[in-house]
Amino acid sequence: MWQSSPPGSIYDYIRVASFSIGPDGLIEQWSRRAAGLFGMASHEAVGKDPVEAFMPDELRPYARRSVGEILDGKEWTGLVPFRMPGENGFRGLAEIYVMPSETESGERAALCIVVDVQALRRIETDLAASQAIFGQSPFGFVLFGTDFAVVRANQRFATVFGGEAEDHRGRTVHDYLAGPEADRLTLTLKRVLETGESVTDLQLVGTAPGSSDRRHWSMNLYRVHSGSGRPIGIAGLATDVTQRHIAAREAASARRNLALLNEASARIGNSLDLETTARELLDVAVPGFCDLASVDLYQGLLTGEEASPGSWGRHHQESGSGSAELRRVAQASAVSDAVPGVLRGTGRSGGTETGEDTGPPALGSVHRYPFHSPCAVALRTSRVADVPGDERGLVHSTLAVPMVAHDIVVGLVQFSRTKGSEPFGERDRALATELAARAAVCIDNARLYRREHERALILQRSLLPPGDPEAAGLDIACRYLPGNTATEVGGDWFDVIELPGHRTALVVGDVMGRGLRAAVAMGELRTAVRTLALLDLEPAEVLSALDEVARGLGTPGGGERSAGFGGGGGAQWPSRAAHKSREADLSEVYLATCVYAVYDPVTRRCTFANAGHLPPVVVEPGEAALLLDVPPGMPLGVGGEPFEEVEVELKEGALLALYTDGLVESRDHPLDEGLEAFRQALATPTEPLEDVCDHVLTTLDTRHGEDDIALLMARIQGLPVDAVGDWRLPRELRSVGRARELARIQLTAWGLDDLVDTTELLVSELVTNALRYGEGEIRLRLLRDRTLVCEVWDAGLVQPRRRRARDTDEGGRGLQLVGLLSAAWGSRRTPRGKTVWFELALPAGEPAAELSVEQLLSMY
């Protein structure tokens, strides 16, 4: 079939033309390509002498001879310079093929084929350059035809996929890539061919022949056109980017690890709870680092054993019987229907010594690992161990990582990856070690905090009154609610102290600051309060002396302390360093508030002194709750200001409440609102006192857990009139006999006949001493409540002093008798003298014990 040459054929590039010369040597026929090559139309060329028209002057003689030879029937081929018509005609070089011919009449003629030599040389240069680029390129170069088969490939491409470059002609993408990748490349080739849009950095994954390694290629594709613009195929430039992918993957892994460590720093250790810290570790690790994970902590750590942490697992490891007991405290899984932990190969012995692998332990269970298991080895050596997986199981890669903090192993964390995930590498081992170490430090800190917290709690609870305190003339109820485990131990305390004469001291205080130091300071202040109370000082004097104690606590070694409790003596000035230390410690721990009250059940009068504490609340029958106007004074430890006293007479059945700020103060409401709510909660004081306490705590918005709460409530129940005997005696000798008589009559009326003899003897001794050493009028008072109390008052200021009489002394044994026969005795100052007292236990149906011979002889 005849077919015209399509546009863009090879003849268009090499510029081939033809013309014929007649028997007369003139141009007889002139083709269109000749017109294009020489720039002369057909009507201008036909009939002209080609030598005259195109040859330079200096070549015309030679050209005429050649034309003559051609017309004589000789073929000729050669390079012929030519010029374009015109004075400034372009000079060129043509390769002419001359073939003799004959006309119909048998005359000699010639057919000339002309090729532009310069165009040929340009094509040769382009082909050489193209061949150099295609053949010498370090990248794989391939040319696909319009049917997407390989038309040509360079040697670099053949080096990767085998064979010679010519062997790849006619192959398709399916001969190089697996199904999904081959289909994706075919669709891309089709799109490039149809749209003409280039594709850059097309990522392809496959394997080279004879290798199982996955390779990554980056391919650039563009459509190839002929000279006329007709698409003739797609060129592809392929680059092996496997190393770049490996580097990118490592960089991404490093970035992921850094992000994971950053997240771990932010999320692990937010709680001081051991189990919570373990769960925080797994929240970070799963699924960002692994698919399954679990945390085991030593049982000794969780139970708070005081043994050295290093000994938790030492006994079992040294004996070869396996690890010490561990408890599974946390586990996590990113795989549905998967049991967290290592499925097989852990070598767990579920609490036995047989070494039998019983599968992963349940959450909360206590277990051991056999001596030679990877987990036990990791715990024993403090190094990461690889746990072999089960080919039939879900997990194929597991790391057993010991949790080490300050060279102490506190537990074990296991990270596992399931099939389909990459196995752990060296980078992963380093990251796992770092994650476990960070969590271990937080767990060890939590352990140390818990130990200190428990010690502070023990100290704090040991300093609170045991059980339900009892006092004469008072019905007492108390509540103490410590802050939750998230807050430190506070310095709140309360106390109920029995004083002579059936009086009672009620104390509530709060050391500023938290933690063990606050608890220690609270204990020291509470002890000081009890000591001062036994001296029977007035409330203001107690707080003044307590202020000195508190200021001494703020100085290293208690250096800045007066010589006595409110007595004389100059202050000892501390050094500058001690002064700075005192200033630093004072604001944190050693400032305290306190309210101290002394209640007398005989008079139902209560004397208050306040050191910066919240005011007491009193609710009298039928009245609204009232905040007592007690001058607050400065907190203990500040010093420089005296404390004032307020004496209040309380009605029978009145309710007195002392409390700390945790009951009425919160971040969510001001103090005034809390105090008003407290007053409203005491609107029904006639209920049982225990119920009133519960009602207050359940009604107020205390935000319990933010601060400790101490509440001390007392209902006033004065001593009955018939339980008090009170007499005044003149200062004369017969008052001794009168005192014995009054005591005998009163005890007989009370039915305490068993105490008559002892009481008469001791009353006689005290009244005699008052007459001999005292001043002014003598007062005798007997009080009956839970015990019998006898008080002898006089106006003298000299305090009695017990001494041992010499063998020749006729007296001086009175106070010795008082000390031997009474349950307790003492003396205290009064505003107008002193009071000497003794106390006897009420008989419980048994006769009173008589003094032994040794006791009697000891007085002589």
Side-chain angles (χ1 to χ4, degrees), residues 75 93 297 372 651 812:
E75 289 188 1
L93 183 65
L297 297 180
H372 294 292
K651 294 182 179 180

Short mmCIF file of all heavy atoms in Angstrom, two decimals, residues 75 93 297 372 651 812:
data_model
loop_
_atom_site.label_atom_id
_atom_site.label_comp_id
_atom_site.label_asym_id
_atom_site.label_seq_id
_atom_site.Cartn_x
_atom_site.Cartn_y
_atom_site.Cartn_z
N GLU A 75 28.21 8.37 -13.34
CA GLU A 75 27.67 8.70 -12.00
C GLU A 75 28.72 9.47 -11.22
O GLU A 75 29.92 9.26 -11.36
CB GLU A 75 27.30 7.44 -11.24
CG GLU A 75 26.09 6.72 -11.77
CD GLU A 75 25.65 5.59 -10.86
OE1 GLU A 75 26.31 5.41 -9.80
OE2 GLU A 75 24.67 4.90 -11.17
N LEU A 93 26.99 23.79 2.03
CA LEU A 93 27.71 22.64 1.53
C LEU A 93 26.70 21.53 1.35
O LEU A 93 26.00 21.18 2.28
CB LEU A 93 28.81 22.23 2.50
CG LEU A 93 29.69 21.06 2.07
CD1 LEU A 93 30.50 21.44 0.82
CD2 LEU A 93 30.65 20.66 3.19
N LEU A 297 6.42 -4.45 89.25
CA LEU A 297 7.20 -3.82 90.31
C LEU A 297 7.40 -4.82 91.44
O LEU A 297 6.56 -5.69 91.68
CB LEU A 297 6.48 -2.57 90.85
CG LEU A 297 6.27 -1.43 89.86
CD1 LEU A 297 5.55 -0.27 90.55
CD2 LEU A 297 7.58 -0.97 89.26
N HIS A 372 16.69 -18.67 85.22
CA HIS A 372 17.36 -18.58 83.92
C HIS A 372 16.48 -17.93 82.85
O HIS A 372 16.89 -17.87 81.68
CB HIS A 372 17.79 -19.97 83.44
CG HIS A 372 18.85 -20.59 84.31
ND1 HIS A 372 20.13 -20.09 84.39
CD2 HIS A 372 18.78 -21.65 85.17
CE1 HIS A 372 20.83 -20.83 85.24
NE2 HIS A 372 20.05 -21.78 85.73
N LYS A 651 -23.31 29.33 129.32
CA LYS A 651 -24.53 28.76 129.89
C LYS A 651 -24.50 27.24 129.83
O LYS A 651 -23.80 26.65 129.00
CB LYS A 651 -25.75 29.28 129.14
CG LYS A 651 -25.98 30.78 129.30
CD LYS A 651 -27.24 31.20 128.57
CE LYS A 651 -27.50 32.71 128.73
NZ LYS A 651 -28.73 33.15 128.04
N GLY A 812 8.17 18.23 158.64
CA GLY A 812 8.72 18.27 157.28
C GLY A 812 8.36 17.08 156.44
O GLY A 812 8.93 16.88 155.37
#
